[in-house]
Amino acid sequence: MRRRMRWGQLWRQVDPQAAVLVDVLRVLACGPRLAIAKILARGEKSTGEIYDELVKNYGLAMPRSLLYYHLDALEKAGVIETTGYRETEKGGAPEKVWRLKLRRIIIDLTQGSIEFERG
């Protein structure tokens, strides 16, 4: 019996750039992750600063473990990256500092091209 291929798997075989696009869009389809990208679009932020802005500006109060889960998913998709560590005021473990790695996705339908603007 032949299995049907899921649409994401089909695009991976057709165009590698389309596969990256599918992965990035799948990651950003989650509301908190898009909010994190918007926060980092304004500059580098520590994990604590991201958490504070999510609560204050977006009303997204979540456990820290869930925030780390979202940050990890964004990092694996190449949307954000760590730039270093920052000491906390409370004397705990240093926090990661994050920045937006993928700034813009440009899809040219007439040329059939996909460009990723880094930075």
Side-chain angles (χ1 to χ4, degrees):
M1 177 180 264
R2 216 171 92 177
R3 289 182 54 179
R4 296 176 75 182
M5 189 174 295
R6 296 179 65 198
W7 69 273
Q9 294 170 338
L10 179 63
W11 276 107
R12 282 179 174 74
Q13 292 177 354
V14 174
D15 185 357
Q17 280 191 318
V20 173
L21 177 64
V22 168
D23 291 340
V24 168
L25 292 177
R26 184 179 295 127
V27 167
L28 288 174
C30 179
R33 294 177 189 166
L34 189 55
I36 291 168
K38 288 179 181 180
I39 290 168
L40 292 176
R42 296 188 299 269
E44 293 183 357
K45 304 277 184 196
S46 70
T47 305
E49 292 169 333
I50 293 169
Y51 181 80
D52 292 342
E53 282 199 43
L54 284 172
V55 172
K56 181 181 172 189
N57 298 338
Y58 295 91
L60 294 172
M62 65 178 79
R64 294 262 180 172
S65 59
L66 186 56
L67 173 61
Y68 299 137
Y69 172 77
H70 289 308
L71 290 169
D72 184 57
L74 287 166
E75 185 177 32
K76 285 180 180 174
V79 177
I80 65 173
E81 65 184 353
T82 57
T83 61
Y85 293 87
R86 187 179 300 161
E87 293 294 326
T88 60
E89 298 156 1
K90 301 168 190 161
E95 291 183 318
K96 285 185 177 180
V97 177
W98 302 90
R99 78 174 191 93
L100 194 61
K101 183 177 178 182
L102 182 63
R103 194 154 277 302
R104 186 175 294 149
I105 301 170
I106 303 162
I107 303 170
D108 186 340
L109 296 176
T110 60
Q111 297 290 323
S113 65
I114 302 168
E115 294 179 36
F116 298 96
E117 185 179 305
R118 311 276 178 195

